[in-house]
């Protein structure tokens, strides 16, 4: 996967981004970087990546006594 900065650079240079990296504002997969900036970026490693981020968020909040999302 790529980071949002690379999507911005691709948008400025009118380049396409790889498939399965972002969704447009209507929730459809896109390779158009400008449409991707208006939509959302998909998590790294698909559902496994978002699950891992969720677990890290909860554990870091619980173990440190702080808040979590």
């Amino acid at each position: 996967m790529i980071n949002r900065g690379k999507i911005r650079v691709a948008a400025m240079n009118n380049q396409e981004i790889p498939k399965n990296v972002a969704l447009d504002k209507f929730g459809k997969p896109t390779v158009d970087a400008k449409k991707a900036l208006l939509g959302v970026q998909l998590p790294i490693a698909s559902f496994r990546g978002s699950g891992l981020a969720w677990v890290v968020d909860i554990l870091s909040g619980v173990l440190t006594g702080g808040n979590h999302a």
Side-chain angles (χ1 to χ4, degrees), residues 13-59:
N13 296 328
N14 293 320
Q15 297 174 336
E16 289 187 347
I17 57 174
K19 290 182 181 179
N20 300 322
V21 171
L23 304 176
D24 65 9
K25 65 181 178 179
F26 300 109
K28 298 187 183 206
T30 184
V31 293
D32 184 345
K34 291 180 183 178
K35 289 182 180 179
L37 288 175
L38 297 174
V40 296
Q41 186 175 352
L42 295 175
I44 295 173
S46 185
F47 63 90
R48 287 181 228 110
S50 59
L52 180 61
W54 182 69
V55 169
V56 168
D57 179 49
I58 290 174
L59 287 178

